[in-house]
Amino acid sequence: MSKNRSKSKQKHRSGFVSILGRPNAGKSTLLNALLGTKLSIVADKPQTTRTTVQGVLTQPEAQIVFVDTPGIHDADTIFNRRMMESIKEALEERDLLLYLIDGTRRPGPEDEKSLELIKDTGTKVFALFNKIDLIDKKNDLLPVIEAFSKLREFTEYFPISAETGEGLEVLRAAILEQMPVGPAYYPEDYITDQPERFMAAEIIREKILLTTRQEVPHSVAVLVDEWKEEGRLTRITATIHVERPGQKAIILGARGALMKQIGTEARLEIEKLLEKKVFLTLFVKVNPKWRENESFLRELDWRAMIGGEASTAADSEDNKGE
């Protein structure tokens, strides 16, 4: 009996897999689909994901640690440069890379440039051609695959739909085959390295992305100012930072209606996350050029939230919504 258990342990596989690609390729949707739970926020806006998000898939025979990354883009601000640094870090010491591609379009100059980032990596790279549910004739995907294969030779090629789940069972099996034999890195019930207050701030930002247009999405940051546990109730106060007064007016909406909608939708999802009642208070504040403010960007980093309180407080003159 002990020999069988020992043999079983030897066959257990574990490893780290980074998900890379251009903005809007569907990386966060893929992470959520692979895990079978919503971990990363999702919106049809570039740069929805701003930092690496770790998600752990634990099965009887394996544990796979997926790392979602921001979209590969030009680093024209301090904030963008920090995002690109997080992508480069996600290339280090990985057992496999998943390069996600929008399967509905052929490669352009931006794709060639982004592939340069993984040009010299010695790690195996799977090419995932996403959004096949949007392609009427599957043969139309073949020229896209051929065009990308000329830019870089990938280990394997997979047509998938992160939205519908098509092709994901085959992909999971292929990923598992690439994982080295080894023990689990995390406990069975461990899902992510993200603290709850960061996830709450991301949920609020997601609701803003889904309810606003124009220039607002790129100019929004959310910080949790206060988090109080009161028995079965969690009180959360957060500030939405924007760069210009006009953006603040958009988020507030007529008579604060849009702000109230954002707060209600965010509260309901945070309650699902925490599995308890939440009292959410939101403020909106104009914070010019926050994307170039090193001190503020450090506050946005979820790693700074661990073991400390966010220091940004909402000004009394700012408008509030629930």
Side-chain angles (χ1 to χ4, degrees):
M1 189 73 174
S2 61
K3 288 183 179 179
N4 289 338
R5 279 200 297 265
S6 175
K7 186 177 180 180
S8 176
K9 286 182 179 179
Q10 287 180 341
K11 289 184 177 180
H12 187 276
R13 295 175 179 271
S14 58
F16 286 79
V17 179
S18 288
I19 305 173
L20 310 163
R22 294 275 301 143
N24 271 5
K27 296 180 296 298
S28 296
T29 303
L30 175 63
L31 175 66
N32 294 339
L34 289 171
L35 295 178
T37 186
K38 182 178 178 181
L39 191 60
S40 284
I41 66 171
V42 177
D44 59 347
K45 311 287 194 307
Q47 298 178 20
T48 297
T49 300
R50 291 174 168 177
T51 186
T52 54
V53 177
Q54 179 176 291
V56 182
L57 177 64
T58 300
Q59 299 175 331
E61 72 280 11
Q63 186 177 81
I64 305 171
V65 183
F66 292 101
V67 181
D68 185 19
T69 64
I72 301 172
H73 60 283
D74 290 329
D76 54 353
T77 66
I78 293 176
F79 184 47
N80 286 356
R81 286 196 289 275
R82 288 170 70 101
M83 282 194 281
M84 286 302 298
E85 284 302 317
S86 72
I87 296 172
K88 292 175 183 177
E89 290 173 6
L91 294 174
E92 299 175 1
E93 299 182 2
R94 293 296 184 262
D95 298 292
L96 180 67
L97 301 179
L98 305 180
Y99 189 84
L100 200 60
I101 297 164
D102 183 342
T104 64
R105 61 178 186 81
R106 298 195 182 203
E110 299 87 355
D111 298 287
E112 294 182 35
K113 187 174 181 180
S114 66
L115 284 169
E116 285 291 318
L117 193 66
I118 58 174
K119 180 180 179 181
D120 298 323
T121 181
T123 306
K124 292 183 178 180
V125 185
F126 284 179
L128 312 184
F129 293 86
N130 193 25
K131 305 183 183 182
I132 61 172
D133 55 302
L134 302 179
I135 302 175
D136 294 330
K137 297 178 181 179
K138 301 308 179 185
N139 286 340
D140 292 343
L141 182 62
L142 296 178
V144 179
I145 295 176
E146 183 180 359
F148 272 95
S149 66
K150 290 179 180 179
L151 296 179
R152 189 193 196 282
E153 184 177 347
F154 294 91
T155 306
E156 292 191 48
Y157 301 80
F158 296 88
I160 66 164
S161 170
E163 186 68 34
T164 67
E166 186 177 354
L168 293 191
E169 187 175 345
V170 173
L171 174 62
R172 284 194 194 94
I175 293 172
L176 182 59
E177 288 181 3
Q178 296 295 332
M179 295 300 99
V181 173
Y185 292 98
Y186 300 101
E188 189 176 330
D189 59 349
Y190 184 90
I191 298 176
T192 184
D193 58 347
Q194 313 297 304
E196 289 178 338
R197 65 186 301 148
F198 173 78
M199 295 177 73
E202 285 290 270
I203 288 171
I204 296 167
R205 187 166 67 86
E206 179 189 53
K207 303 313 174 189
I208 296 169
L209 297 181
L210 294 175
T211 55
T212 61
R213 290 293 184 267
Q214 302 173 44
E215 79 247 18
V216 172
H218 290 301
S219 304
V220 168
V222 178
L223 277 177
V224 172
D225 307 315
E226 192 174 55
W227 187 291
K228 286 185 178 179
E229 299 288 353
E230 299 178 357
R232 295 185 60 82
L233 173 69
T234 300
R235 293 184 181 273
I236 303 173
T237 302
T239 301
I240 301 166
H241 295 259
V242 295
E243 293 181 317
R244 289 185 285 278
Q247 296 164 350
K248 177 177 177 178
I250 292 172
I251 290 177
L252 288 173
R255 298 181 180 179
L258 189 58
M259 181 76 153
K260 185 174 182 180
Q261 178 186 342
I262 291 167
T264 299
E265 293 179 0
R267 174 179 58 78
L268 291 173
E269 187 160 333
I270 294 170
E271 286 181 340
K272 290 180 182 179
L273 170 70
L274 303 180
E275 297 183 337
K276 63 192 303 186
K277 187 72 175 176
V278 170
F279 186 87
L280 177 64
T281 302
L282 297 179
F283 295 87
V284 59
K285 178 179 181 179
V286 177
N287 186 353
K289 297 183 179 181
W290 64 259
R291 284 180 286 183
E292 296 289 347
N293 186 328
E294 285 276 17
S295 176
F296 182 76
L297 293 178
R298 279 194 295 272
E299 286 190 86
L300 281 181
D301 189 337
W302 66 264
R303 296 166 187 84
M305 297 178 182
I306 299 177
E309 296 295 325
S311 61
T312 303
D315 290 350
S316 60
E317 66 188 25
D318 288 325
N319 293 283
K320 180 170 66 174
E322 182 184 346

